[in-house]
Amino acid sequence: SGIDYVEADKALYALEGTESSAVIDKEYIAWGPEYIGMDVLNRDIILSGIEPVETVVAVLDTGTDETHPGLYGRVIPTGVNTSTSGDVNSSMDDNGHGTQVAGVVIDSTLDHVKVKPYKVLDKYGQGTVVTLAAGIICAVNDNVDVINMSISLSENSETLREAVLLADRNDIVLVAASGNDSSDTAYYPASFECVLKVGASNESGTIANFSTRGEDV
């Protein structure tokens, strides 16, 4: 009577397919920020004279290499590692994917935006529902503002749904990649109703050939 539900843990993976991005001398490396208008938004923020409030983006991935020169001063290490590789109590990246995702965030934003890495995937870019859900709960406890998950799971999961709903109830913006298999398959956590489901476009403004499609993307 004390059990709400039982389900098998499920494998999930980092999503490849995005272009690498980093910041060097405050110049954009990728074409994305200018394309979506982040350069104009950032200019307007600077010209407004208003001091932006620090905003923390939790990147749940393979960790982040905070020593990367393009990320200098913008990463707040957490020591959270729920994966099966890397050092205990270290969010250092041993794959590269999480550092790339952090670079995309930092490349698009001003200095008031910081990245907090949560290592939920191992050196192969693999994890499970449990490793991701644990990372979400840690991010909620750290009072982050945004949670980003470039992670794919083809099956629904009650464990993951509860972790996502916990973040939503704490007014955290949840963002996840729609998937990279050129289909309209519903992948999770992106397909949960409270998650912003993001696909990929190319420089010409059309959907990238690898991106998962669908009306809710």
Side-chain angles (χ1 to χ4, degrees):
S1 60
I3 298 174
D4 292 328
Y5 64 89
V6 176
E7 67 177 0
D9 200 4
K10 303 177 180 73
L12 42 77
Y13 308 90
L15 283 169
E16 303 290 347
T18 55
E19 294 189 25
S20 182
S21 174
V23 178
I24 298 177
D25 296 331
K26 299 302 178 185
E27 293 294 327
Y28 291 123
I29 301 303
W31 53 266
E34 182 178 2
Y35 179 83
I36 64 175
M38 285 303 300
D39 58 333
V40 175
L41 175 61
N42 290 334
R43 181 199 64 198
D44 290 347
I45 291 173
I46 294 170
L47 292 177
S48 72
I50 299 173
E51 187 69 26
V53 177
E54 182 175 272
T55 301
V56 177
V57 179
V59 173
L60 276 60
D61 213 284
T62 61
T64 297
D65 180 3
E66 65 267 20
T67 67
H68 190 291
L71 311 182
Y72 181 75
R74 301 286 298 278
V75 178
I76 306 171
T78 62
V80 174
N81 181 358
T82 63
S83 79
T84 57
S85 71
D87 296 331
V88 176
N89 300 325
S90 172
S91 56
M92 176 60 76
D93 192 357
D94 56 2
N95 172 276
H97 187 269
T99 300
Q100 174 187 322
V101 173
V104 172
V105 174
I106 290 171
D107 191 32
S108 303
T109 55
L110 298 174
D111 288 348
H112 70 285
V113 177
K114 309 294 184 183
V115 166
K116 265 193 170 185
Y118 295 79
K119 183 170 171 52
V120 300
L121 303 177
D122 64 17
K123 61 184 177 181
Y124 304 110
Q126 301 175 358
T128 72
V129 165
V130 168
T131 65
L132 177 56
I136 293 172
I137 293 169
C138 287
V140 171
N141 291 336
D142 286 344
N143 298 312
V144 304
D145 301 292
V146 180
I147 291 177
N148 182 86
M149 298 168 285
S150 296
I151 294 172
S152 175
L153 171 69
S154 59
E155 302 175 65
N156 199 343
S157 161
E158 183 64 21
T159 302
L160 186 55
R161 188 184 75 87
E162 287 195 355
V164 165
L165 289 176
L166 173 66
D168 183 57
R169 288 195 299 271
N170 281 270
D171 297 324
I172 297 172
V173 176
L174 293 135
V175 184
S178 64
N180 285 347
D181 70 352
S182 307
S183 73
D184 58 359
T185 301
Y187 286 103
Y188 297 89
S191 291
F192 290 121
E193 187 173 345
C194 59
V195 178
L196 183 61
K197 187 176 186 179
V198 180
S201 63
N202 56 34
E203 228 169 330
S204 64
T206 57
I207 190 166
N209 59 6
F210 59 83
S211 181
T212 300
R213 297 103 198 279
E215 293 182 0
D216 57 343
V217 176

